[in-house]
Amino acid sequence: MASAIQKIALNASRDIPFNKLVLSQSNVRRVKAGLSIEELARDIERRGLLQSLNVRPILDDAGVETGAYEVPAGGRRFRALELLVKQKKLAKTAPVPCVVREAGSAILAEDDSLAENVQRVALHPLDQFRAFRDMLEKGMSEEEIAAAFFVVPTVVKQRLRLMTVSDKLLNVYEQDGMKLDQLMAFSISDDHARQEQVWEIIAQSHNREPYLIRRMLTEKTVRASDRRVRFVGLEAYLAAGGHVMRDLFEADDGGWLQDPTLLDRLVMEKLQEAADQVRTEGWKWVETALSFPWGHTRDFVEVEGTHVALSDEETARLTALHSEQETIEAEYAQADEFPEEIDARLGEIERGIEALEERPVSFDPADMARAGVFVSLDTDGTLLVERGFVLPEDMPAAPDDAHDESDGNDDAIDHRGDGDDAEGDGREGAPDNEPDEEDGLKPLSDRLLTELTAWRTLALRDAFAANPHIALTELLHTLVRDLYWQVSGADCLEAYVREIPLQVHSPDMPGSLPVHALRQRNEGWKHDLPEDEDALWQWLDRLDDTSRIALLAHCLSFGINALHESSHGPSLARSIRERLARADRLATALRLDLTDAGWEPTVENYLGRITKARILEAVREARGDEAADRIAHLKKADMAQAAEQLLDGSSWLPEALRTKGLSAQMKTDEAPDYSADGPAAVAAE
């Protein structure tokens, strides 16, 4: 017969007057760390005593209970109560809830004291976050929560920031699948799907550092330190409805702007305002862009202006500033450093001198009547205005040719702005002349093909840089071909990347998603690189493998060339065909979709540049014969406008932008209504 399990008996508890309690010398806590007695006293004053004291009877020499009790476990609570008594906030005889250990127990007082502290389990950060969240939802403010737990409000804000993390990731953290600093890194974004996607990627890698998580979550955002933000101003972006991601756990230099499209629009609006102001000066033309290609003034003649002389008042001001600067520098010549206020004043003086010495330039009105200006954004976020550039055809004729020019050929001069620019003038965004024959499917012009493939090259670079595995495979493929098949001669190792300029491109490309993504990735790496070039090798050597491969893919992306080029000679034509075939293979491997990259057919970038037959072919492929038939009777300009509306949201791409192997080039199931009452019908009217 089984023996009965012996039942335990818990220690009795009762209220004991405070003046009957004394602190035991058996309490093991000696080091006063953590929450102060004063803070604990304020907490007891606010909410009362949450935990009883552990006490034992004090015996006299004869072993008889004296009516007093010692406190071996709960000494900090006892001292907090003692402080409240001294502050007259608690009566000396106030009853204190106590758990009483019987006299003569075999359990030592030190044993109880040690057990109370050692057996205690610290609260999990996730539990603290959930508790803060519950209190917030029940009406307490962040400041009230912080005051209740004697922490600064920032701590509460940081814990509550974890509310933005996906429940899936919170569960991973709860099961010890990730560290707290990794979880905090995910809180930088509110996009749960992206958070989970990033975790799935890095969970397969040995590198799960918080900085990598933050970088991946902010790939498609703009740093607040970006030149565009400095130009527009963060306040203007916020006032326009933009949102900023902030990192409460790390210094973030102002955060990340989440709406690059809105930012670019504000930049272009401000640049356009500046261009309008410059236009009032009397120039023949003014061109505006976020940035112009390298060497964009190469084909222009630059006219020289004259620096405006200093006025008497400005001269006196400059002399006074130089004199003050020399006096200050002489006074502090022996000092190791300038006092703060003196250093600030020297900065003001230097800026004043620079403003006076950088003189404005005036131009001859006759030169201005034939010249133009480029208005763009400089690298430091300031306005860049380049004045005085003349197209060669706008330069005055040489004296010997004056008679010939005036001999009935005045109409042969093509003035800028008087009609479409010629196809071969090299100007950014210049449209092709409309083909004479519009009824046939004539080949696309070389310039249009170059613009389309410039778009594709840029998007391919972005996709390439975002996929280090394929980037490394492509690099190894190139190196192995050179090594074993000796496709090109090499001295030692001539594996290099030459950035391919995209000098010909459509007007919509500078503000596109790939441009933004590549710029942000480049700025991110520039931010991480050491300032000292001598330290670069050591920095790269210490970099983890994942980051090294990502940096390699980024650098290689600048050498991607999928550009169509007009060729002269069979050898060059064969070389271009081989290069484009390799670009097609890359696009297929990367599953490059130009619609995801943001390309859409518009009048400006495609439809206004092709024949009517090609416009109808595009509409027929995207929307069917009925839609194409409804616009077939329109003139070309009207047809292009109607086609732009019809193709909106269709994901249709020209042949030059399509990627082999993608299952769906057109998302016709998401198409808007194109019945007789739709936009195509309106256009047809």
Side-chain angles (χ1 to χ4, degrees):
M1 182 175 178
S3 59
I5 298 176
Q6 185 176 0
K7 302 297 190 294
I8 64 172
L10 299 177
N11 295 327
S13 63
R14 67 172 187 266
D15 292 341
I16 300 175
F18 178 76
N19 60 355
K20 298 293 184 180
L21 301 175
V22 295
L23 188 62
S24 173
Q25 296 303 309
S26 299
N27 194 303
V28 298
R29 186 184 291 275
R30 299 284 189 268
V31 180
K32 309 300 187 292
L35 191 68
S36 71
I37 299 301
E38 291 78 8
E39 290 173 343
L40 181 55
R42 291 201 299 273
D43 189 68
I44 293 174
E45 180 183 359
R46 173 177 175 267
R47 71 177 84 246
L49 195 63
L50 297 179
Q51 186 177 354
S52 301
L53 305 184
N54 182 282
V55 302
R56 293 173 177 241
I58 298 177
L59 307 179
D60 60 16
D61 295 338
V64 178
E65 294 186 14
T66 61
Y69 296 84
E70 63 175 347
V71 183
R76 294 181 63 252
R77 276 163 280 151
F78 173 82
R79 287 194 294 270
L81 293 171
E82 186 178 43
L83 178 60
L84 291 172
V85 170
K86 290 180 179 179
Q87 294 174 344
K88 309 296 185 182
K89 295 179 179 179
L90 183 69
K92 291 181 180 181
T93 58
V96 178
C98 300
V99 174
V100 183
R101 171 78 71 180
E102 70 278 4
S105 171
I107 305 297
L108 298 175
E110 289 83 358
D111 194 345
D112 281 345
S113 178
L114 183 62
E116 184 187 60
N117 290 281
V118 173
Q119 297 293 344
R120 180 186 306 165
V121 177
L123 190 66
H124 194 282
L126 198 56
D127 290 330
Q128 186 186 41
F129 143 66
R130 287 167 174 161
F132 284 170
R133 180 189 60 189
D134 292 343
M135 288 187 286
L136 187 70
E137 291 174 351
K138 292 179 179 179
M140 290 184 68
S141 68
E142 294 174 353
E143 290 72 18
E144 288 172 335
I145 297 172
F149 292 93
F150 306 102
V151 295
V152 295
T154 303
V155 173
V156 178
K157 291 179 184 293
Q158 288 176 341
R159 287 291 180 263
L160 291 174
R161 181 66 181 175
L162 297 179
M163 293 172 66
T164 63
V165 179
S166 158
D167 287 337
K168 178 179 178 180
L169 298 188
L170 291 176
N171 291 335
V172 172
Y173 172 61
E174 186 173 357
Q175 300 301 320
D176 295 328
M178 73 169 70
K179 298 177 182 177
L180 179 59
D181 57 355
Q182 295 169 329
L183 184 71
M184 292 190 300
F186 279 106
S187 71
I188 196 173
S189 170
D190 297 334
D191 187 342
H192 289 182
R194 178 58 178 160
Q195 291 173 358
E196 293 170 8
Q197 182 185 42
V198 169
W199 175 248
E200 289 175 3
I201 294 172
I202 68 169
Q204 309 302 320
S205 168
H206 71 279
N207 182 10
R208 303 182 186 182
E209 292 298 320
Y211 81 88
L212 180 61
I213 295 172
R214 290 187 178 92
R215 178 186 295 168
M216 295 176 71
L217 288 172
T218 57
E219 274 186 335
K220 297 187 181 300
T221 60
V222 179
R223 280 184 177 272
S225 56
D226 186 272
R227 61 177 181 144
R228 292 168 293 169
V229 183
R230 296 199 298 269
F231 179 65
V232 172
L234 187 59
E235 296 77 11
Y237 168 81
L238 294 172
H243 299 282
V244 179
M245 290 194 321
R246 297 303 305 267
D247 189 346
L248 296 181
F249 299 97
E250 298 285 343
D252 59 11
D253 296 327
W256 293 266
L257 281 66
Q258 294 180 269
D259 194 340
T261 303
L262 172 61
L263 176 63
D264 286 336
R265 177 173 65 79
L266 294 175
V267 170
M268 293 309 299
E269 288 175 356
K270 189 170 181 179
L271 284 174
Q272 192 58 53
E273 291 176 4
D276 292 342
Q277 184 64 35
V278 171
R279 197 172 283 110
T280 63
E281 298 174 7
W283 299 97
K284 181 176 182 180
W285 52 266
V286 178
E287 284 202 19
T288 307
L290 188 64
S291 60
F292 290 100
W294 175 259
H296 65 285
T297 61
R298 186 183 300 116
D299 297 331
F300 291 80
V301 178
E302 186 173 0
V303 297
E304 295 185 1
T306 304
H307 287 285
V308 178
L310 289 168
S311 65
D312 292 342
E313 181 181 348
E314 289 173 330
T315 301
R317 174 64 177 158
L318 183 60
T319 301
L321 289 173
H322 276 300
S323 177
E324 184 180 358
Q325 183 184 47
E326 292 170 0
T327 300
I328 292 176
E329 290 176 348
E331 182 179 351
Y332 291 92
Q334 304 303 319
D336 293 334
E337 60 182 17
F338 295 111
E340 186 175 344
E341 64 278 4
I342 297 300
D343 189 56
R345 177 54 187 160
L346 281 174
E348 294 174 359
I349 293 173
E350 289 172 359
R351 289 190 292 273
I353 292 174
E354 183 179 355
L356 288 169
E357 290 182 343
E358 290 185 358
R359 305 304 300 155
V361 179
S362 64
F363 292 86
D364 189 311
D367 288 334
M368 295 174 68
R370 66 174 66 94
V373 181
F374 295 101
V375 177
S376 61
L377 189 59
D378 211 345
T379 54
D380 62 353
T382 58
L383 185 68
L384 177 62
V385 180
E386 301 171 282
R387 293 178 172 87
F389 294 93
V390 185
L391 285 166
E393 58 265 32
D394 286 340
M395 289 298 292
D400 293 343
D401 299 333
H403 177 73
D404 295 336
E405 291 290 338
S406 61
D407 191 16
N409 292 324
D410 291 344
D411 294 337
I413 300 176
D414 180 19
H415 293 286
R416 184 178 183 86
D418 298 334
D420 291 339
D421 294 332
E423 178 182 324
D425 65 0
R427 299 295 303 123
E428 179 181 333
D432 294 327
N433 291 329
E434 183 176 322
D436 296 329
E437 166 61 72
E438 294 188 350
D439 296 330
L441 291 176
K442 300 187 70 174
L444 301 182
S445 70
D446 283 341
R447 180 183 176 87
L448 179 55
L449 273 173
T450 302
E451 286 188 8
L452 292 173
T453 52
W455 239 104
R456 190 184 191 220
T457 298
L458 194 69
L460 191 57
R461 287 178 180 180
D462 181 36
F464 184 93
N467 196 315
H469 176 78
I470 292 176
L472 186 57
T473 302
E474 180 66 11
L475 173 63
L476 290 172
H477 177 270
T478 301
L479 296 178
V480 171
R481 286 178 72 245
D482 291 346
L483 178 62
Y484 290 96
W485 280 267
Q486 298 181 356
V487 177
S488 61
D491 243 344
C492 188
L493 175 64
E494 285 194 16
Y496 66 93
V497 177
R498 177 173 63 88
E499 183 175 357
I500 308 301
L502 305 178
Q503 295 180 345
V504 177
H505 56 74
S506 57
D508 62 332
M509 200 171 79
S512 64
L513 290 175
V515 166
H516 166 67
L518 285 165
R519 183 189 300 117
Q520 284 301 106
R521 189 179 290 110
N522 193 51
E523 289 297 323
W525 280 114
K526 284 172 61 178
H527 182 270
D528 291 347
L529 289 173
E531 295 182 3
D532 185 3
E533 186 179 350
D534 294 336
L536 178 60
W537 196 95
Q538 289 81 358
W539 183 82
L540 290 170
D541 188 48
R542 291 193 298 267
L543 210 58
D544 61 86
D545 288 345
T546 301
S547 298
R548 286 153 67 96
I549 293 175
L551 179 56
L552 173 65
H554 171 67
C555 295
L556 290 175
S557 71
F558 289 95
I560 291 294
N561 185 359
L563 285 170
H564 163 82
E565 296 177 85
S566 55
S567 60
H568 301 283
S571 177
L572 180 58
R574 183 172 59 255
S575 175
I576 293 174
R577 283 198 304 272
E578 291 177 357
R579 169 163 54 78
L580 293 179
R582 292 184 69 179
D584 287 341
R585 185 184 63 225
L586 262 184
T588 300
L590 291 164
R591 299 190 61 78
L592 179 71
D593 189 343
L594 266 291
T595 58
D596 290 342
W599 192 90
E600 292 183 352
T602 65
V603 173
E604 189 174 30
N605 71 8
Y606 185 75
L607 298 169
R609 319 275 296 283
I610 59 176
T611 64
K612 292 174 65 175
R614 282 201 175 273
I615 295 175
L616 293 174
E617 179 190 42
V619 174
R620 188 171 289 109
E621 288 182 357
R623 300 302 187 193
D625 293 338
E626 182 182 353
D629 292 343
R630 286 204 302 270
I631 66 171
H633 68 284
L634 298 177
K635 293 182 179 180
K636 180 182 173 182
D638 296 333
M639 181 186 289
Q641 291 285 352
E644 180 177 324
Q645 296 181 55
L646 283 165
L647 295 175
D648 182 35
S650 69
S651 298
W652 180 87
L653 293 172
E655 186 68 30
L657 297 185
R658 297 177 187 176
T659 297
K660 297 175 183 178
L662 286 187
S663 59
Q665 287 290 347
M666 295 174 288
K667 302 181 179 68
T668 54
D669 56 328
E670 299 176 2
D673 178 23
Y674 288 98
S675 61
D677 296 328
V682 176
E685 294 175 4

